[in-house]
Every structure is written in C-alpha cells, then in structure tokens.
Amino acid sequence: PAERMWRGRYDEGGRFSLQPHDEGSGAPTITDEAEAVRALSSPGVSGVMDHYGWWDSHGNDPAAGKPLWLTLEEATTRHLFFDDNIHNDPQDSIVSVRARRDGEAAAFSPLSGAQICSLHGAVLRRVPTMQPVLEPDWFLAEIEACGERLPPPPQPHPPLPLSPPPPRPPPPRP
C-alpha cells in the first residue's frame, strides 16, 4: 500500500528520514529513528527507496548507506538486509548499521565498517543478482541460513525473589 512506501533521504547534516514515496498518501515524514523502526516493523510489507546519490557522493562510506537498525537484545524481531551491492569491505558498505542495546535505549549508534563486516551472513546478505531468478527458493534458503548464523536471543533475567533472603547468622566468636 502507498502508506508503506518510503523514500529514504539524508539532509545536509547527515540525518536520515523516511519520506512518503507518494506525497498524497497521507503518510507523515519520519525523522525519529525509533519511530522509523516501529513503522518498518509493523506487520506487512514496506518498501524504502535508497538515497544512492548521498551514499555515492560520500565515497561509499558505511555511515552514508541504507540504514539497518538493530536492537541487540530484541528477541521477537530480527531484521535481515538483502542487497546486491553488499561488499565485505569496511570502507565500502551500502548498509549503515545502527544499533542500540535494547528498546529502552535513547538512541541508536552507528557501527564501524569492520563491525558491519562481522554481520555478513547473519543479518546482511549479498544477493547474487541472477541467483534468485534461477533458484526460486533462494531467499527462503538464505533466510534459514541467516537464522542459523544468528546468535541466540538473550535469555530473560531470572525473576527477582519475592521476599528477601533470611538474615545470615552472626559469625562465630573466637
């Protein structure tokens, strides 16, 4: 649907926003990263057109690429990024991975090019352009393979005791 189609754009200060692809769709421009994650994580399919000119004019720097937001301790949703222009090169990444520890964290922080490279095969996957055409199940197989490479989601902390432990006996007297 038109309200789920976006144009990703960087402003002069390097801040990313999601702008409605169709100006008449009624969808708002989203400038807050947490709000962008919520919009893209809601059930259904979304499409985001990249800002290739920005990335190219910044020397293919990872910080200028297509954003992928990761919440590291999120156990219910895993975002995977497929693109035919992913390179295992810390100086040349079409993907700008931005991470936060958990959903309560105030802001996302950019990962370095080397950190982004460490995510290849787990949340980032280069798409050999013709392979999905030749193998109709290619994406499904790759999603499964990425899932096998992901670290397990963090386990919940053990529950806190409902009552304090009994007091310790005093130490023996010498």
Side-chain angles (χ1 to χ4, degrees):
E3 65 273 6
R4 302 288 304 255
M5 302 302 290
W6 308 94
R7 285 182 294 134
R9 291 293 175 262
Y10 285 95
D11 67 15
E12 292 299 321
R15 291 175 300 275
F16 188 82
S17 66
L18 290 175
Q19 300 173 0
H21 192 271
D22 176 4
E23 298 288 330
S25 72
T29 293
I30 298 173
T31 57
D32 178 73
E33 290 183 294
E35 184 59 34
V37 170
R38 279 189 291 278
L40 296 173
S41 297
S42 62
V45 175
S46 295
V48 180
M49 185 174 78
D50 65 355
H51 196 168
Y52 182 85
W54 175 267
W55 176 69
D56 189 50
S57 70
H58 285 81
N60 304 348
D61 184 63
K66 303 172 189 179
L68 169 65
W69 294 281
L70 297 178
T71 301
L72 302 176
E73 293 183 2
E74 173 62 54
T76 59
T77 303
R78 298 286 187 168
H79 291 211
L80 304 177
F81 199 107
F82 290 88
D83 196 281
D84 65 343
N85 202 12
I86 290 177
H87 306 289
N88 197 16
D89 179 344
Q91 305 304 315
D92 178 1
S93 179
I94 191 72
V95 185
S96 175
V97 179
R98 301 183 52 73
R100 64 182 175 178
R101 172 73 45 214
D102 57 47
E104 302 301 316
F108 288 87
S109 299
L111 299 187
S112 70
Q115 290 170 313
I116 292 170
C117 285
S118 74
L119 297 172
H120 286 218
V123 297
L124 304 176
R125 180 66 170 98
R126 184 182 169 280
V127 178
T129 306
M130 292 305 297
Q131 208 64 36
V133 174
L134 298 172
E135 295 177 34
D137 291 337
W138 186 87
F139 278 107
L140 296 175
E142 289 303 314
I143 289 169
E144 185 174 325
C146 286
E148 292 169 2
R149 294 180 196 116
L150 285 171
Q155 298 302 310
H157 299 288
L160 296 174
L162 298 176
S163 58
R168 291 184 177 182
R173 295 183 190 205

